[in-house]
């Protein structure tokens, strides 16, 4: 099975290095020197990683045969794709590959059906499940421990405990009104989590 593990960004310097947007939790494995990666567009690859290093918090890669800035710029926006055994699991039991999570049923703790995971979006701050509801609408669920309380691959389901307003926007108005009253009365900031989750 093929998984996108990175997207090539801008050229860095004049010796063929490029910045990459990492899309894997295991860059030290998938983007190590010697790794051979397929590409999208396919005509750009395959590419073999020659060197890799971190500079100012960003991963820089250089590929075999790419020796100058012109060659590096030609690779910009190329997706890097690794072959992964579908049965392979991440080393950390709390981590999952995208293909393991796709199509899982999303339910509340009491079994109420919310929908099905149709897409996973990787943002710098967190990952999001795009969940298609039975009526065809979509809802975004932040993949954080406080909200996604259980991933059960055997039962093919994700159990969530959403804050007010995440699933039903009408609840957010009530929660916000309560927050405003509580803050006015006590100066409390304890309600910040629900609006942030809703924005995400």
């Amino acid at each position: 099975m093929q998984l996108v593990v990175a997207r090539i960004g801008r050229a860095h310097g004049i010796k063929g290095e490029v910045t990459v947007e990492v899309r894997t939790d295991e860059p030290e494995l998938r983007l190590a020197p010697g790794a051979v990666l397929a590409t999208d567009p396919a005509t750009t690859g395959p590419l073999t990683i020659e060197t890799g290093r971190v500079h100012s918090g960003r991963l820089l890669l250089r590929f075999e045969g790419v020796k100058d800035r012109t060659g590096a710029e030609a690779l910009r926006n190329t997706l890097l794709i690794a072959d992964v055994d579908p049965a392979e699991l991440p080393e950390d039991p709390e981590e999952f590959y995208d293909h393991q999570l796709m199509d899982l049923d999303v339910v509340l703790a009491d079994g109420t059906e919310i929908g099905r995971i149709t897409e996973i979006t990787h943002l710098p701050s967190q990952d999001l499940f795009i969940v298609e509801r039975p009526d065809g609408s979509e809802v975004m669920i932040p993949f954080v421990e406080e909200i996604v309380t259980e991933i059960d691959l055997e039962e093919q389901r994700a159990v969530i405990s959403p804050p007010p307003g995440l699933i039903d926007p009408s609840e957010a108005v009530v929660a916000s009104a309560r927050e405003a009253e509580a803050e006015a009365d006590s100066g409390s900031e304890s309600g910040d989590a629900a609006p942030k989750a809703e924005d995400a």
Side-chain angles (χ1 to χ4, degrees), residues 54-190:
V54 176
H55 175 73
S56 297
R58 301 207 67 173
L59 180 61
L60 302 179
L61 297 179
R62 182 163 53 223
F63 301 98
E64 290 183 5
V66 180
K67 301 299 182 185
D68 56 27
R69 188 176 182 88
T70 301
E73 280 291 353
L75 297 176
R76 190 167 184 174
N77 292 324
T78 297
L79 297 178
L80 300 176
I81 302 168
D83 281 312
V84 177
D85 183 343
E88 182 181 330
L89 300 176
E91 292 182 4
D92 187 337
E94 297 299 315
E95 293 182 355
F96 303 90
Y97 292 134
D98 286 4
H99 70 269
Q100 295 176 286
L101 301 170
M102 290 292 289
D103 291 325
L104 292 188
D105 292 323
V106 178
V107 299
L108 300 179
D110 64 4
T112 301
E113 180 185 0
I114 300 301
R116 180 178 59 88
I117 298 173
T118 57
E119 186 180 339
I120 299 164
T121 301
H122 299 280
L123 302 178
S125 57
Q126 65 189 16
D127 297 334
L128 288 176
F129 291 160
I130 310 301
V131 177
E132 182 177 315
R133 307 197 65 177
D135 64 5
S137 64
E138 291 184 338
V139 61
M140 292 184 289
I141 308 290
F143 187 21
V144 294
E145 189 176 354
E146 295 79 10
I147 296 175
V148 182
T149 58
E150 181 186 358
I151 297 290
D152 188 334
L153 296 180
E154 286 190 11
E155 295 293 329
Q156 286 290 288
R157 66 177 192 170
V159 181
I160 65 170
S161 177
L166 185 63
I167 303 300
D168 184 351
S170 66
E171 294 178 3
V173 177
V174 176
S176 297
R178 281 202 202 113
E179 268 171 36
E181 288 175 14
E183 288 182 9
D185 291 342
S186 63
S188 168
E189 296 181 358
S190 61

Side-chain angles (χ1 to χ4, degrees), residues 4-35:
V4 174
V5 293
R7 182 180 67 84
I8 297 176
R10 294 178 296 185
H12 178 84
I14 59 173
K15 296 183 178 179
E17 284 187 313
V18 295
T19 62
V20 293
E21 173 191 311
V22 177
R23 296 190 181 178
T24 172
D25 290 330
E26 299 174 309
E28 69 285 348
L29 175 65
R30 307 294 178 201
L31 301 172

